[in-house]
């Protein structure tokens, strides 16, 4: 499914185009990596320490549930970030919204790293933690669309998939970096020191995101497709103004033109256009991707809690496995994206969703052995199927919408999936394990989301064929 050209003709020289393309793709990849790093350190901390420090009352399970509920709150905030940044990004540009998202994330993450615990300031601690997590959610909801479009709208013809995958690589890079920093913090501090202050260090590293925000603001240009859409809008407004002048000698005619189609164009309200005519596509996009985000967050946070708390596995060893598995995605994501440029997005995307459905039960059977080796095998195979889906996803979502509403539409689809899948998944996993006492209930949850994904993908494929 590659229904839109990768880039529109540019008035700059080929050498300038190449420099801008490389700079835009690099900035998008870095923005995604640092943003996701900041976001993921919360998930790891939620599984390891936040329950005891900020929600101390009740059983260990209750503390973890409260911690994961706070983790989920960030996901509930993500659609708001996507809507706000999408609407403004389709009207004002991709770059300003990306810079704003990075700045907000840097401030929120640093704030969590400096936040006093429940023991120090009482109920204000969890309240402030939830507030900062909401800020993180808004920031990452705003970031993905901006970074994705910065990459895909600079892509040369026929390479939108591989360019979009540069942004997708930010997720495994963020996971690897977050796990690495936590491993280092744990290695150089005692158990008591880690619980007291060592866990804060990964959050304070998030200050680097502010440096990247400044660089993008100063040195990266707006995307060529957005600039082309702006020129087209200016030409259309000029034509309409000319027609209004010819027809509008009388006052009533002038009022009619002012209230006519010029006031209801997509560029004036991208969100209204999406809600009125493309909401079905948004939900299909979200439905197709929820299984990917759910499985991913189950692997990086839910499994971390399950293996260390229920199966008594070593925390450092499990983090190391997660880190190594994430490294394989650095190869698989761009490979699947490049393949989608050749044989189509839907085929690759659907293959990944089917693989997740088939592997859910074997994966948990392997994890339940309590063996580090089988944990690595189970999560590695699952990670392969996630990568197959995630590689072409940015290009696929970009191609579902036209440039003047692309930021809004693609962001909404992605963030709906994040709420329905990723945000609730670790919480649902703990709840299912506590209720049923078996990990097969979590496997069934993944399979259910995979069935929804396959149904959504089929409808999108049918629509593409009909066009």
């Amino acid at each position: 499914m590659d229904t839109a050209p990768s880039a529109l003709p540019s008035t700059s020289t080929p050498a300038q185009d190449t420099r801008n393309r490389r700079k835009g793709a690099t900035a998008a990849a870095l923005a995604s990596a640092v943003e996701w790093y900041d976001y993921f350190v919360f998930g790891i901390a939620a599984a390891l320490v936040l329950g005891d420090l900020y929600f101390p009352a009740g059983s260990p399970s209750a503390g973890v549930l409260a911690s994961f509920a706070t983790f989920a709150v960030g996901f509930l905030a993500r659609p708001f970030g996507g809507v706000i940044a999408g609407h403004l990004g389709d009207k004002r540009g991709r770059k300003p919204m990306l810079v704003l998202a990075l700045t907000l994330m840097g401030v929120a993450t640093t704030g969590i790293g400096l936040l006093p615990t429940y023991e120090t300031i009482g109920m204000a601690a969890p309240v402030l933690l939830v507030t900062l997590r909401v800020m993180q959610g808004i920031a990452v909801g705003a970031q993905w669309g901006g970074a994705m479009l910065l990459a895909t709208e600079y892509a040369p013809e026929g390479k939108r998939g591989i360019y979009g995958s540069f942004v997708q690589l930010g997720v495994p890079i963020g996971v690897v970096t977050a796990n690495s920093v936590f491993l280092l913090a744990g290695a150089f501090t005692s158990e008591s020191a880690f619980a007291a202050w060592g866990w804060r260090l990964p959050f304070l590293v998030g200050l680097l995101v502010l440096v990247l925000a400044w660089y993008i603001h100063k040195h990266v240009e707006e995307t060529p497709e957005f600039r082309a859409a702006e020129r087209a809008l200016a030409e259309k407004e000029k034509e309409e103004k000319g027609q209004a002048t010819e027809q509008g000698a009388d006052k009533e005619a002038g009022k009619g033109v002012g209230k006519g189609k010029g006031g209801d164009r997509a560029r004036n309200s991208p969100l209204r256009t999406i809600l009125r005519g493309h909401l079905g596509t948004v939900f299909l996009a979200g439905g197709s991707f929820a299984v990917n985000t759910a499985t991913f967050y189950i692997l990086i946070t839910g499994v971390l809690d399950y293996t260390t708390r229920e199966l008594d596995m070593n925390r450092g060893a499990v983090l190391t496995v997660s880190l190594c598995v994430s490294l394989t995605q650095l190869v698989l994501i761009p490979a699947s994206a490049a393949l989608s440029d050749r044989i189509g997005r839907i085929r690759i995307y659907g293959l990944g969703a089917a693989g997740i459905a088939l592997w859910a039960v074997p994966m948990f059977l392997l994890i339940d052995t309590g063996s580090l080796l089988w944990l690595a095998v189970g999560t590695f195979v699952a990670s392969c199927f996630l990568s197959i889906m995630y590689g072409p996803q940015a290009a696929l979502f970009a191609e579902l919408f036209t440039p003047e509403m692309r930021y809004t539409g693609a962001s909404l689809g992605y963030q709906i999936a994040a709420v329905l899948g990723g945000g609730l998944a670790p919480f649902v996993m703990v709840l299912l394990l506590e209720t049923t006492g078996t990990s097969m209930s979590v496997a069934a949850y993944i399979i259910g989301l995979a069935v929804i994904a396959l149904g959504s993908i089929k409808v999108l494929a049918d629509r593409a064929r009909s066009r």
Side-chain angles (χ1 to χ4, degrees), residues 74-89 97 100-101 104 134-146 407-408 411-412 415:
F75 285 83
L76 295 175
R78 281 170 61 167
F80 294 100
V83 167
I84 296 167
H87 181 75
L88 294 175
M97 292 303 103
L100 181 61
L104 183 62
V134 167
M135 289 173 61
Q136 278 194 321
I138 292 172
V140 83
Q143 173 271 144
W144 182 80
Y407 201 140
T408 304
S411 292
L412 268 178
Q415 303 312 334

Side-chain angles (χ1 to χ4, degrees), residues 262-278:
D264 193 37
R265 286 193 305 272
R267 296 291 293 158
N268 283 344
S269 183
L271 178 59
R272 187 186 305 139
T273 301
I274 288 291
L275 295 177
R276 286 182 175 179
H278 303 272

